[in-house]
Amino acid sequence: MTAAARAYAQPMTIVASHEGRRWALFKRRSRSTAIFVIGLLLDMVCVMNVPGSAEFLPASESSPKLTTQGTLLVLLAAACWATVFYRDRAPIVVAIAGGILLMVGTSYVLALIGAYRLLLRYPQRTVLISTVTTLAVAFFVGREMLTGWGHAFPWLLARDGVGNDPKWGITSMTVAVFSLGVTAALVAYRRARVEASLSRVRVEQLHERADALGEQLARQSERERIARDLHDALGHRLSSMALAAGAFESQAAGAPIDPALAEWARLVRRQAHAALEDVRGVVGGLRLEQGETFARPVSMRMVGQLLADLRSAGQQIEAYVVVESIERVDPLRDAAAFRVLQEALTNAMKHATGSTISVTVDAAPERGIRVRVINALVLSTSHSSSGRVGIAGIRERAAAVGGTAWIGPHEGHFLVDVSLPWQ
């Protein structure tokens, strides 16, 4: 996707998201309004359950008339049913309001709605909530069957104002059992949906973890292959060079030969051994798991030995090295600084053989880490390819730890100037 396409698609995505939230909010409010209206109309009829709330005319010649008590109960029902708008955020309020209507004697529908929301909110208290709800509904039905309460059913079903017929008590019990069963079924359905959603999330997480492990195994396999190739190829050549230098050193020790040449052979052997150790270190690092560290990391503590070895080999080096609080530096940046200096010196010796190399290493917590290597600018193409690889490696090392690198000709010299953060 082009930048223009991304810039166009992003606002559309935001608008769609806003529209989706608005539509969800509209549906939620519409559902709450419908529940409120239907529930209030039901309880306006069920007000007749309460003795003294309605006047039933003989022979059911007309609809019952509400008394002052009935009117007050209707207003109470309206106030209680208004809590359905907060059933998601405060289900306990809905349950209390439903309990009030249940105890007053209008209906237990709002109490069932509150119990439903409480069962979804507190699944660990299922037994307690279910028991209290069942007992409350049983109390409501028993009161209708054994007392003068419960005139709403006869009037709703047969326009009969007399509620003492046993068939109406059986009907009330049947409706109560059915209502409790529907509530339990809805709770089980919603919980099953939640469990299914959680299961899908877990499966997706397991798939992602499996993919990550697969990628990690593939990277580890590739590191093992690189480590084997590096060890077999470069390790063999360095070992052969070290053996040859050792044999030459042994012959020089028992023969009349220039002592400088013997020292040179000793230096070559020592450098070959050091290079072989570096190769083993790199191989070991390639074979490490993520989060592990190699036993012998390089550090700016080794700068002095590095410069001493190059001077012993005859290289002219002017060095200014100031390293403070080396134990507090980040190990990654410590190693990166040393490798940058090592590669810059290798590049300088390769392209400006015999010239003086100026080295500056300044590292301190308040100043950060700075490595500068300056050598004579020699226009040569004999090592142009390897030089580009070394320069690219320096830039990559610096960028990997959040540093900067300036490399190129400067006032008749070739300059490598690298700055790394302390932490």
Side-chain angles (χ1 to χ4, degrees):
M1 183 183 290
T2 63
R6 285 194 299 269
Y8 176 76
Q10 185 176 5
M12 294 297 293
T13 303
I14 295 174
V15 171
S17 177
H18 286 316
E19 290 296 332
R21 286 197 293 268
R22 289 178 181 175
W23 175 245
L25 182 61
F26 173 76
K27 290 196 300 182
R28 189 181 302 113
R29 289 179 177 176
S30 300
R31 191 181 301 116
S32 298
T33 302
I35 294 173
F36 171 78
V37 172
I38 295 174
L40 181 58
L41 290 176
L42 175 64
D43 269 21
M44 288 176 65
V45 175
C46 291
V47 163
M48 292 182 294
N49 279 332
V50 183
S53 297
E55 296 179 356
F56 293 90
L57 299 178
S60 301
E61 294 179 359
S62 61
S63 301
K65 295 181 178 180
L66 290 178
T67 64
T68 302
Q69 176 184 328
T71 303
L72 294 176
L73 288 178
V74 169
L75 295 177
L76 175 63
C80 290
W81 275 100
T83 60
V84 297
F85 292 96
Y86 307 96
R87 64 188 187 281
D88 293 332
R89 289 177 289 177
I92 187 65
V93 176
V94 181
I96 293 173
I100 292 174
L101 294 181
L102 184 147
M103 297 303 296
V104 167
T106 56
S107 75
Y108 49 79
V109 177
L110 184 60
L112 291 180
I113 294 176
Y116 168 74
R117 302 307 305 185
L118 285 175
L119 288 170
L120 295 181
R121 175 70 66 86
Y122 306 106
Q124 69 277 10
R125 300 180 180 177
T126 299
V127 176
L128 176 62
I129 298 172
S130 301
T131 302
V132 172
T133 303
T134 303
L135 291 176
V137 174
F139 166 78
F140 186 93
V141 174
R143 184 175 56 186
E144 286 192 344
M145 295 177 64
L146 301 176
T147 67
W149 302 57
H151 291 175
F153 259 123
W155 189 85
L156 280 174
L157 300 179
R159 292 300 177 112
D160 184 1
V162 181
N164 296 325
D165 193 331
K167 67 179 180 181
W168 300 122
I170 296 174
T171 303
S172 178
M173 183 184 300
T174 303
V175 172
V177 172
F178 177 77
S179 301
L180 290 173
V182 169
T183 303
L186 289 175
V187 171
Y189 172 72
R190 284 294 300 271
R191 288 183 177 178
R193 286 188 59 184
V194 171
E195 288 294 331
S197 178
L198 292 176
S199 298
R200 286 194 297 270
V201 172
R202 294 192 196 101
V203 169
E204 292 176 358
Q205 291 176 346
L206 290 175
H207 278 304
E208 292 176 357
R209 184 177 181 183
D211 294 341
L213 289 175
E215 294 177 0
Q216 184 176 352
L217 289 175
R219 289 195 298 268
Q220 183 65 22
S221 177
E222 183 65 15
R223 287 197 295 265
E224 290 283 351
R225 185 190 66 78
I226 295 173
R228 286 193 299 269
D229 293 345
L230 183 60
H231 183 272
D232 294 342
L234 189 55
H236 172 72
R237 293 184 182 275
L238 290 174
S239 298
S240 300
M241 185 176 69
L243 289 174
F248 182 75
E249 181 183 2
S250 299
Q251 293 179 3
I257 197 169
D258 187 358
L261 189 59
E263 179 63 25
W264 177 82
R266 189 177 301 110
L267 178 63
V268 170
R269 179 178 60 82
R270 189 164 63 246
Q271 291 293 333
H273 278 297
L276 187 58
E277 289 296 321
D278 286 343
V279 169
R280 289 171 180 167
V282 173
V283 170
L286 288 172
R287 286 175 173 167
L288 288 177
E289 296 292 339
Q290 185 177 5
E292 297 179 352
T293 56
F294 189 61
R296 295 185 57 189
V298 295
S299 169
M300 285 186 289
R301 295 182 179 89
M302 304 165 63
V303 170
Q305 183 62 41
L306 174 64
L307 298 178
D309 290 342
L310 294 179
R311 284 168 176 159
S312 299
Q315 180 64 53
Q316 298 180 9
I317 296 179
E318 296 178 354
Y320 174 80
V321 179
V322 177
V323 179
E324 301 177 7
S325 304
I326 189 62
E327 69 280 354
R328 294 166 50 190
V329 71
D330 182 7
L332 291 177
R333 289 165 176 79
D334 188 15
F338 179 82
R339 290 303 187 191
V340 164
L341 176 61
Q342 191 178 44
E343 183 61 37
L345 288 172
T346 301
N347 187 68
M349 291 186 296
K350 186 182 300 183
H351 293 280
T353 305
S355 64
T356 301
I357 302 175
S358 177
V359 175
T360 302
V361 179
D362 183 18
E366 63 275 6
R367 297 190 300 273
I369 305 172
R370 189 171 186 181
V371 177
R372 288 167 55 94
V373 176
I374 304 175
N375 59 270
L377 182 60
V378 178
L379 300 178
S380 174
T381 59
S382 58
H383 303 287
S384 58
S385 178
S386 60
R388 287 194 297 271
V389 172
I391 291 173
I394 292 173
R395 288 197 173 101
E396 290 174 359
R397 285 186 184 276
V401 294
T404 59
W406 194 96
I407 305 174
H410 178 69
E411 297 181 355
H413 295 82
F414 191 83
L415 173 62
V416 175
D417 192 351
V418 177
S419 297
L420 306 179
W422 186 262
Q423 294 293 339

